Amino acid sequence: MDDCQLGDLAYVTPKAYSCLGKASRRVPRLKIIGGSGGQLLATLVAHQLSLKTSRVEIRRFPDGEKYIRIDDDLAGQDVVLVQSIHHEPDNFLFEYLLLCDTVKDLGAKKVVGVFPYFAYARQDSRFNPGEAVSFRTVTKLIEDVGTAELFSIDMHQHRVERAGDLFRIPVHNLTAAPLLAEYVKANVPLQRPTVIGPDEESEQWAQAAAKVIGTDHDVLQKRRLGADKVEIRTRSLDVQGRDVLIMDDIISTGGTIVEASKILKSQGAQRLVVACTHPILAQDALAKIYESGAEIVVGTDTVPSSISYVSVAPLIADAIRKL
Ligand code: R5P
């Protein structure tokens, strides 16, 4: 961490260090910068690429306005800006806009935005009259400020075929599902395992995890009744006497996993292990999930949390190497 200065809102997950591999070949003419929402991840990604992050000073003026200073020569360089938009989405989003504009202004050739967690993606439609289509506004801002290309991980895209359909710039939506499944396979002994997704959209993650574990998968059917209320329809699943890995992209209020756990338990599932890419864990989500019968809950460091056992740094580094 010597080479980057933590901003006023840095979140850290020391656990993420434990699953990182060795640093590899250095990628020339590339600078990596972490915003307050992505500083540790930026450092881990830079380490994977045998680079160091550029020094950034991020603080607030006494009146609350944000101050940013980048202490590096960026002229003619490709710059990777890592900013996860979690917990304080407006703050981290605005900070990304300031960083990106500054990087361009300092002569960078190309800015690649890495958004491990992309907030606002769930509000991609006007569900009720008069609502803001927030995702559209956010993508416009990110593009207009000069982002040339974008990476995200398991970006919420339930109403479109590909995340890229919602942007004008190239978008790469990576998935952490195999990494999560590898972690579970290596650390949690499961008897006659199966993988279940709590809704139709989660089939992609359930399928990817089942492939790693070497078993079958299935999904439940969900209907969202409100921001913190979901209804999951009971379907007969082959879970009797089996250990179940529940896979989803986001745990926010925990409502989805709680309802899924109840149904799986009622159908005779044995151990319940839960894995998600983005452990937002709003309010008492984690407590509710454990109370519902789950034994272990695992997440990645796209959103630093107490369950961020898996780092997505190698995934991001691999993708950057191919740029
Ligand atoms: C929604 O469709 C997502 O895939 C997740 O299932 C959802 O965001 C989880 O939210 P919560 O934890 O609040 O139920």
Side-chain angles (χ1 to χ4, degrees), residues 122 156 158 198-199 201-202 205 222 224 227-230 248-257 285 289:
R122 283 180 287 179
H156 195 86
H158 290 186
D199 54 26
E201 287 80 16
S202 58
W205 305 300
K222 180 174 93 176
R224 185 160 284 285
D228 56 3
K229 203 162 169 46
V230 295
D248 206 359
D249 56 346
I250 303 171
I251 297 178
S252 181
T253 65
T256 301
I257 300 295
I289 291 173

Side-chain angles (χ1 to χ4, degrees), residues 301-320:
D301 58 352
T302 60
V303 179
S305 75
S306 59
I307 58 157
S308 296
Y309 296 105
V310 177
S311 180
V312 292
L315 191 64
I316 298 172
D318 272 354
I320 289 173

